[in-house]
Amino acid sequence: MSAHTGGTRERTAELRALREQVRRGPSEKATEAQHAKGKLTGRERIDLLLDPGSFREVEQLRRHRAVGFGLEAKKPYTDGVITGWGTVEGRTVFVYAHDFRIFGGALGEAHATKIHKIMDMAIAAGAPLVSLNDGAGARIQEGVSALAGYGGIFQRNTKASGVIPQISVMLGPCAGGAAYSPALTDFVFMVRETSQMFITGPDVVKAVTGEEITQNGLGGADVHAETSGVCHFAYDDEETCLAEVRYLLSMLPQNNRENPPPVESSDPDDRSGQALYDLVPADGNRSYDMRAVIEELVDDGEYLEIHERWATNIIVALARLDGHVVGVVANQPASLAGVLDIEASEKAARFVQMCDAFNIPLVTLLDVPGFLPGVHQEHGGIIRHGAKLLYAYCNATVPRVSVILRKAYGGAYIVMDSQSIGADLTYAWPTNEIAVMGAEGAAGVIFRRQIAEAADPEAMRERMVKEYRAELMHPYYAAERGLVDDVIDPAETRNVLIRSLSMLRGKHAELPHRKHGNPPQ
């Protein structure tokens, strides 16, 4: 800018004009090009995310100092990233948003320093951090300085992990090393068609492997929501996506020293759940949708399912009981009969860790026939992956209440927050079957010789199955041995959960002193 002249009023007017110019962005043409791709600008996104008028920008007038490759002639304000803080439903949230109109949102040294600063501020203030990602990776003209900027972001992501909620919203491309920052955060949101994440793009894939694939086919929202599990939430448009980010933030605490914010609930805590009698068939071989059970139990039937389309044989969700946030982990009999496999174990383990980090009590709903058998599962490491869920539950110090609706067989029963691994309270419905394995399999092992030698093996097998079921799988067997705290009327489950969690609200559990554990990988 030219040398300053005039008094304070003139200089202030000059400042306002400069700020307005920065807010408008590099040009109308660049804004139109962004809109033509079906994408909003960084500032439009921030306006949707934060409460109206609450955004306070930091380092708006920052510019890069790089030279070479024509950079010295192009030094836009903000350097392609908007950073600051505001509020969501009145609570402080820090945010940074790439501005694709400036250097394609590419990260240079000044750009990275701005992000580092806002991340440090979020950690110091103890408030969530939301990143609105729409950048073309490292700024090639700045060379290794840009790469070092990513290293600083990764280091801060790790430092903030389990301290403040970190949410990554993918609203454009995210390629190469840049994709590791979202992977380090607690939640990843994506928008279909306009956002992609991959380490190596389609051109490199084709050159190395000969495979031809589109950007969306390689790393689009649906791929990461259904196949890779990288994305927790996928939406059709940015407006819906950012509204859901706000909703998620309303369920999370500001940091790991606080509890999630409670709300007044108009749903009676003693509301009878008689619909549950018909929702869950007593016949263990019949399927049903566990989502209907969750809707019947939680306040107003509302819950936020996470990873809805990945590892669908297990459900993880945030909901409220009597106005207080809980994390729900539930087997899903409508998908693979609710068995645990590699992906379900990983999905549930990460969710349990997140809930434990942010003081969210856990409610576990069991109907699990075991771990998924098969060569692919064993060779894929079901032992170490299943152990992740076991480790997460054993390590969790938040209130933990589990309810056994129907089947709870073998190691899967133990892993799904059984009393033996530290559940505070364990309840069972009268339809529960807790056993090492199903009656048919157990009878075949125990009474193999008698069945083989019988005149009518099939009749003998049937008789032995009934005998095993009557002796070891009746609903009160576990209660008689203190392995469940009570067998409850399904219609009273909501009330029992609310009262149990109310009692456990003051729970305080200490883990042994250590630098950190060494969880299975």
Side-chain angles (χ1 to χ4, degrees):
M1 292 190 69
S2 58
H4 292 291
T5 56
T8 304
R9 284 185 177 80
E10 290 81 359
R11 292 191 180 186
T12 303
E14 191 178 68
L15 170 64
R16 287 199 194 99
L18 176 59
R19 287 199 187 285
E20 185 54 37
Q21 176 194 326
V22 173
R23 273 194 287 269
R24 280 199 305 269
S27 69
E28 278 299 315
K29 187 178 175 185
T31 302
E32 285 166 14
Q34 180 79 346
H35 289 162
K37 294 175 192 166
K39 301 198 296 184
L40 300 174
T41 66
R43 294 187 186 279
E44 288 168 340
R45 290 162 175 165
I46 289 172
D47 287 343
L48 285 172
L49 174 68
L50 299 176
D51 297 335
S54 69
F55 182 56
R56 178 69 187 168
E57 192 169 350
V58 176
E59 295 195 337
Q60 185 187 55
L61 303 180
R62 186 73 178 257
R63 299 201 287 185
H64 74 77
R65 295 176 291 186
V67 294
F69 306 102
L71 281 177
E72 63 273 14
K74 191 178 182 185
K75 300 175 73 171
Y77 290 108
T78 75
D79 201 45
V81 65
I82 304 153
T83 59
W85 76 89
T87 60
V88 171
E89 295 187 6
R91 298 193 303 154
T92 300
V93 172
F94 287 81
V95 61
Y96 68 85
H98 297 133
D99 189 342
F100 196 83
R101 300 171 301 171
I102 297 174
F103 297 126
L107 181 137
E109 188 176 16
H111 180 121
T113 304
K114 286 182 65 174
I115 294 174
H116 297 168
K117 178 169 183 172
I118 211 68
M119 293 179 82
D120 289 339
M121 289 173 71
I123 295 168
L129 174 72
V130 178
S131 62
L132 305 178
N133 296 271
D134 185 10
R139 198 173 298 168
I140 298 168
Q141 302 95 315
E142 294 195 32
V144 74
S145 297
L147 292 180
Y150 276 122
I153 293 172
F154 304 155
Q155 184 189 42
R156 287 165 175 83
N157 284 140
T158 305
K159 182 180 176 184
S161 180
V163 178
I164 56 170
Q166 298 180 85
I167 298 173
S168 298
V169 189
M170 315 311 297
L171 301 164
C174 185
Y180 283 116
S181 176
L184 288 168
T185 60
D186 300 302
F187 299 98
V188 176
F189 288 72
M190 292 186 76
V191 174
R192 291 185 185 89
E193 302 305 321
T194 56
S195 65
Q196 302 88 28
M197 294 172 69
F198 36 70
I199 299 300
T200 51
D203 294 342
V204 177
V205 169
K206 184 179 178 182
V208 174
T209 71
E211 298 168 288
E212 288 200 32
I213 194 164
T214 64
Q215 286 201 348
N216 278 318
L218 182 63
D222 289 327
V223 167
H224 286 311
E226 293 175 14
T227 307
S228 72
V230 170
C231 166
H232 298 78
F233 305 94
Y235 298 101
D236 290 330
D237 58 79
E238 294 191 16
E239 291 84 354
T240 306
C241 180
L242 291 166
E244 289 298 295
V245 174
R246 285 178 60 90
Y247 181 47
L248 173 60
L249 284 165
S250 76
M251 308 281 274
L252 299 174
Q254 290 292 89
N255 55 61
N256 64 344
R257 300 183 302 278
E258 297 182 10
N259 292 323
V263 299
E264 280 291 324
S265 174
S266 57
D267 194 350
D269 59 359
D270 58 354
R271 167 172 56 79
S272 177
Q274 299 211 13
L276 294 168
Y277 295 147
D278 301 314
L279 286 175
V280 182
D283 179 357
N285 294 319
R286 286 180 57 196
S287 178
Y288 65 94
D289 190 345
M290 183 65 85
R291 290 190 182 95
V293 175
I294 296 171
E295 283 178 22
E296 187 63 31
L297 294 176
V298 302
D299 291 356
D300 304 310
E302 289 183 6
Y303 62 94
L304 178 62
E305 187 171 352
I306 295 157
H307 269 146
E308 181 180 352
R309 292 156 59 206
W310 181 60
T312 54
N313 41 324
I314 201 159
I315 296 169
V316 297
L318 293 172
R320 292 183 187 273
L321 282 169
D322 196 30
H324 294 271
V325 177
V326 296
V328 179
V329 181
N331 306 111
Q332 172 57 299
S335 176
L336 291 175
V339 295
L340 285 178
D341 62 1
I342 289 171
E343 290 185 343
S345 300
E346 290 193 327
K347 169 178 165 176
R350 185 89 198 288
F351 179 74
V352 168
Q353 286 175 181
M354 185 280 298
C355 288
D356 188 49
F358 293 117
N359 309 311
I360 300 171
L362 288 160
V363 172
T364 306
L365 305 176
L366 284 89
D367 191 346
V368 61
F371 281 95
L372 181 65
V375 174
H376 172 72
Q377 289 289 309
E378 296 296 345
H379 288 186
I382 185 64
I383 295 172
R384 62 187 173 86
H385 291 290
K388 292 178 184 177
L389 180 53
L390 185 59
Y391 188 99
Y393 268 127
C394 289
N395 209 41
T397 59
V398 291
R400 292 154 52 188
V401 181
S402 60
V403 183
I404 300 155
L405 278 58
R406 213 167 55 168
K407 296 188 295 292
Y409 293 164
Y413 152 62
I414 299 295
V415 166
M416 288 290 295
D417 206 20
S418 62
Q419 193 177 96
S420 59
I421 66 166
D424 296 297
L425 288 165
T426 306
Y427 298 106
W429 285 4
T431 45
N432 82 82
E433 291 183 356
I434 305 172
V436 175
M437 62 175 70
E440 289 79 7
V445 172
I446 299 170
F447 306 113
R448 184 172 59 244
R449 184 176 295 174
Q450 292 96 311
I451 292 169
E453 293 172 355
D456 185 346
E458 213 33 61
M460 175 62 81
R461 177 188 297 278
E462 234 175 89
R463 191 178 130 211
M464 292 297 104
V465 166
K466 282 181 185 172
E467 190 176 311
Y468 182 84
R469 187 171 270 126
E471 285 293 318
L472 294 176
M473 294 181 66
H474 64 80
Y476 308 105
Y477 184 85
E480 289 168 4
R481 282 150 186 80
L483 297 174
V484 300
D485 292 290
D486 200 5
V487 179
I488 62 172
D489 179 344
E492 296 176 359
T493 306
R494 171 177 162 82
N495 184 248
V496 168
L497 287 172
I498 287 171
R499 288 168 61 191
S500 299
L501 291 167
S502 175
M503 177 275 294
L504 288 165
R505 206 154 286 138
K507 177 185 174 183
H508 180 72
E510 290 285 351
L511 289 172
H513 176 73
R514 58 185 171 189
K515 189 174 181 182
H516 55 74
N518 187 22
Q521 297 297 322

